[in-house]
Amino acid sequence: MARRRSSTQITLVLIGTVTLVGCSQQSAPSARDHYASLEDCAADWGRPESCERVQSSGYPGGFLFWGPLYAANARNNALNDARRNATPNFVDPARQNRAIGSSKAPTSRGGFGSSSRSYTSGG
Amino acid sequence: MRRELLTPRSGWQSEMESIGFHYHSIDGTYWDESRCYAFSESEIDQLESATAELHQMALNAAQQVVGSQRYEEFAIPAEWVPAIEQSWNAYRSDQPGGFTLFGRMDLSYDGASPPKLLEYNADTPTACLEASVAQWQWLQAARRDADQFNSLHEKLIDAWRTLRAASEETRLHFAAVSESQEDWGNLDYLRDTAIQAGWQTFALPVERIGWNGTKFVDEFNVPIERLVKLYPWEWLVREDFGAALPTSTMQVVEPAWKMLLSNKAILVVLWELYPEHPNLLPAYYEPAPLGSKYVKKPKLAREGANISVVDGPEVQATDGDYGAEGFVYQAVAPLPRFEEDFALIGSWIVGDKPAGIGVREDVSPITRNTSRFVPHYFE
C-alpha cells in the first residue's frame, strides 16, 4: 500500500481563536513584579495561581516567579483588586511589598523594524 | 501534472477565516480554489526526492562558503561572520543554537523535465499556513479520496518538540512587522504548532523589541531567550539594534547561518559544486556565460522584486528597491503555462526533511507575493 503523504489530522489551538494582534499590543505601559519564591508572590497577589514560575539562571534554584501584569502607573490598585478577588472578606490593603524587582527598567525600543519599507518580510 | 477547473465551495471564505487565514483575498484573489493542480504519485516522488537532495546540496554549499570564507560574495558584513559560524557549528553538532525550523524552495517543474531550483527561501518563507492547513482543509472537502503532499503540520510540531527536548529554555517569542496581516497569519500558525509541542509562547511586533543594555526584552521587559522572527536577517543586521545581536544570548529562529542559504549567491556556489546537476540551473556573477538569455536576480531580494528576464533585446522586469549588494545571473527555466497562467512549485523543508508543496499561479512568469495560491492533490 502506498505511503500516505498528507496529514491525517490537523488540530489548531491558537489561531482562529485570537485576533491578529490581540496579544501583541498593549495601549499602556505594563509591568510585572519578580519574586524569589512562590510564597512571596502569592502573599502580594492573593493566591499562587496569579504567579508564574520562569527559569532564570540568575536566581537561586534557577528560577523566579512573576506576578500578574498590571498598569505600570497603578500598582497599588492592581494589588488591591487582586487581593480582594482572592479573598472576598479582604479589608486591609496595607501589606508588605515582597517583590525583589519589577520589569519597569529603562529600555530602548524601535531598534528593529525600520527596513520593512513597503514590503512584507516573507519570501 | 495538470490543472483542473472547479467551482469554489460555497462559504469557503468563512472556512478559511476559521483557521486564521484572514488574508485569503488580499490584493484581490489570493487563495484560488476555482482550479487545482493534480499530480501523479511518481511526480510527487520526483519532487520529494529532488527537494531532499537539493537541501543536502545547499548544506554542502554552506559548508563550502564557511570553509573558504566566501562571505564577501554574499555581501555579509565581517562583524557577522562569527555569529554565522557559531550557529553553523552548532547546527553541525546538533546543538539548539543551530536549530532550523523550515525553508521553502521555489522550483520550476512541468511534470516532464526534472524540477529546477530557482531559489531557496530559507530565512523567512511564507505561505506556510496556506500550504499546511488551508489546502489540507480543501482536500478534505473537495478531493477526500485523494492524497496530498503535505505533512507540514506534524513535522512542524515534531521539530518544535525536538528543540524543546534539547533546550533549557521554555519560552519562545514570535515577532514580525506589526502591520503585515500575511506575516502575522503565518507567524500565528507557527506559534500554534509550537504551543502544541509544549512551548510557552509570546508574540510582539518586531518594532517593540527592547534592548536594556544587556538583553533583548519584550514589551514587558521579559528577556527574550529565543526569538522566532519573520523578519529577514539582512534587515536585522543593518538596523540600530543589529550591533547588539552578536553579543546577546538571544537565540534566533531561523539561525544566522541561514543568511547563506537565503542569499542568491548560493545558486552560484551550488552550480560550482554540482555542475550539470539535473535539478540546478547554471548560475554566475556575470551574464556572459549564459549568452543572451538569462534571469538577473538581486543577491538579496524578496517577493520577486527587481528581477529581470532577459531574452536578447527583450527584457521583462519587476520593480523594487533591491540590488545594492549585487546580482546573480541564472539560466532560464520557463514555468509551465496553463492557458494564460504560469505555475510555480514551493517545496517545503521542515527540519531537514521534505514536508510538502504549494502551488502559486500568476499571469506573469515572475512569481510575486500577490501570486495566487492554488491547492493540489495527487493520486
Side-chain angles (χ1 to χ4, degrees):
Chain A
M1 185 177 168
R3 169 173 61 102
R4 189 166 178 84
R5 274 174 279 199
S6 76
S7 304
T8 53
Q9 183 179 344
I10 289 184
T11 302
L12 299 172
V13 297
L14 173 70
I15 58 175
T17 61
V18 294
T19 55
L20 192 62
V21 291
C23 49
S24 306
Q25 294 185 341
Q26 293 282 328
S27 56
S30 300
R32 298 179 90 168
D33 290 348
H34 305 165
Y35 295 86
S37 71
L38 179 62
E39 290 73 22
D40 284 352
C41 181
D44 265 7
W45 295 96
R47 53 186 170 190
E49 292 82 2
S50 300
C51 305
E52 182 183 351
R53 190 176 104 148
V54 294
Q55 288 188 331
S56 179
S57 56
Y59 292 88
F63 54 84
L64 52 71
F65 295 84
W66 290 340
L69 280 169
Y70 59 86
N73 58 356
R75 182 174 185 273
N76 286 341
N77 289 346
L79 276 171
N80 290 344
D81 289 346
R83 293 171 187 167
R84 189 169 289 112
N85 289 338
T87 313
N89 57 357
F90 168 79
V91 288
D92 179 13
R95 294 174 70 168
Q96 186 181 353
N97 177 9
R98 296 167 175 83
I100 57 175
S102 83
S103 57
K104 288 184 287 186
T107 297
S108 58
R109 299 186 189 277
F112 288 136
S114 61
S115 304
S116 56
R117 308 178 208 171
S118 58
Y119 295 108
T120 59
S121 311
Chain B
M1 179 185 182
R2 67 179 189 278
R3 188 172 75 167
E4 297 174 359
L5 299 179
L6 307 167
T7 301
R9 294 168 291 163
S10 82
W12 64 265
Q13 294 90 343
S14 57
E15 289 284 316
M16 292 301 160
E17 286 155 21
S18 74
I19 58 168
F21 186 11
H22 299 278
Y23 51 98
H24 53 67
S25 300
I26 197 168
D27 297 319
T29 302
Y30 174 50
W31 171 263
D32 189 355
E33 60 175 68
S34 69
R35 68 278 315 272
C36 71
Y37 282 88
F39 295 88
S40 68
E41 186 167 16
S42 63
E43 289 168 341
I44 292 297
D45 287 342
Q46 192 176 22
L47 285 166
E48 185 175 28
S49 62
T51 301
E53 187 173 0
L54 284 167
H55 178 65
Q56 191 54 54
M57 293 193 300
L59 295 176
N60 293 342
Q63 179 59 58
Q64 212 279 338
V65 175
V66 173
S68 303
Q69 301 282 295
R70 296 175 64 172
Y71 301 109
E72 206 171 317
E73 291 172 42
F74 286 66
I76 289 172
E79 60 270 27
W80 276 91
V81 171
I84 290 171
E85 294 187 347
Q86 194 175 20
S87 67
W88 174 249
N89 291 333
Y91 168 75
R92 301 285 283 181
S93 57
D94 223 12
Q95 298 299 307
F99 174 78
T100 170
L101 179 68
F102 65 168
R104 193 198 71 237
M105 295 175 195
D106 285 347
L107 305 174
S108 174
Y109 181 60
D110 60 6
S113 305
K116 301 285 190 186
L117 176 67
L118 302 179
E119 63 180 62
Y120 195 171
N121 299 290
D123 183 20
T124 57
T126 50
C128 187
L129 174 65
E130 298 89 304
S132 178
V133 189
Q135 69 170 347
W136 182 84
Q137 192 186 59
W138 169 87
L139 183 77
Q140 308 312 307
R143 290 289 186 276
R144 176 171 280 279
D145 295 331
D147 202 352
Q148 188 176 75
F149 183 21
N150 172 18
S151 57
L152 276 155
H153 191 73
E154 54 265 45
K155 284 195 169 70
L156 288 168
I157 295 172
D158 283 349
W160 288 127
R161 207 171 268 147
T162 301
L163 179 65
R164 181 80 181 77
S167 305
E168 290 184 3
E169 68 257 38
T170 58
R171 300 192 302 270
L172 297 174
H173 281 81
F174 289 74
V177 176
S178 57
E179 71 270 21
S180 172
Q181 192 180 26
E182 181 190 356
D183 286 2
W184 278 102
N186 276 269
L187 205 66
D188 281 338
Y189 172 58
L190 296 179
R191 193 177 160 206
D192 195 304
T193 58
I195 291 169
Q196 295 189 55
W199 287 93
Q200 190 181 14
T201 69
F202 304 88
L204 77 165
V206 71
E207 302 93 325
R208 296 177 72 163
I209 291 174
W211 173 249
N212 67 11
T214 56
K215 288 179 186 296
F216 286 104
V217 296
D218 68 10
E219 46 207 338
F220 306 118
N221 290 328
V222 174
I224 300 175
E225 298 167 331
R226 189 175 290 267
L227 179 72
V228 185
K229 61 169 188 61
L230 203 51
Y231 195 78
W233 265 107
E234 66 265 22
W235 294 359
L236 285 178
V237 302
R238 288 166 173 81
E239 294 182 352
D240 290 348
F241 282 172
L245 270 166
T247 56
S248 94
T249 55
M250 182 175 74
Q251 306 283 325
V252 182
V253 178
E254 292 295 304
W257 65 265
K258 282 298 194 81
M259 277 190 263
L260 304 178
L261 299 198
S262 62
N263 190 308
K264 306 294 188 305
I266 202 73
L267 300 169
V268 176
V269 179
L270 276 165
W271 187 248
E272 278 177 24
L273 291 178
Y274 303 98
E276 309 304 327
H277 190 282
N279 299 125
L280 293 177
L281 291 163
Y284 306 95
Y285 293 127
E286 65 282 327
L290 297 167
S292 60
K293 198 170 178 182
Y294 56 85
V295 180
K296 179 183 177 186
K297 299 178 172 181
K299 289 178 180 175
L300 300 176
R302 281 158 206 280
E303 303 172 347
N306 297 99
I307 288 179
S308 302
V309 181
V310 177
D311 187 357
E314 289 183 33
V315 179
Q316 192 169 4
T318 57
D319 58 6
D321 297 330
Y322 298 101
E325 295 82 6
F327 292 85
V328 301
Y329 300 83
Q330 189 181 42
V332 178
L335 297 177
R337 196 167 191 182
F338 299 86
E339 298 179 4
E340 65 240 19
D341 297 311
F342 296 91
L344 173 133
I345 307 284
S347 190
W348 288 87
I349 286 279
V350 176
D352 287 311
K353 295 195 175 110
I357 59 169
V359 183
R360 302 291 292 272
E361 250 193 16
D362 206 300
V363 292
S364 163
I366 302 173
T367 306
R368 311 272 328 232
N369 64 322
T370 51
S371 301
R372 301 180 305 279
F373 192 102
V374 179
H376 83 276
Y377 74 93
F378 76 90
E379 55 189 12

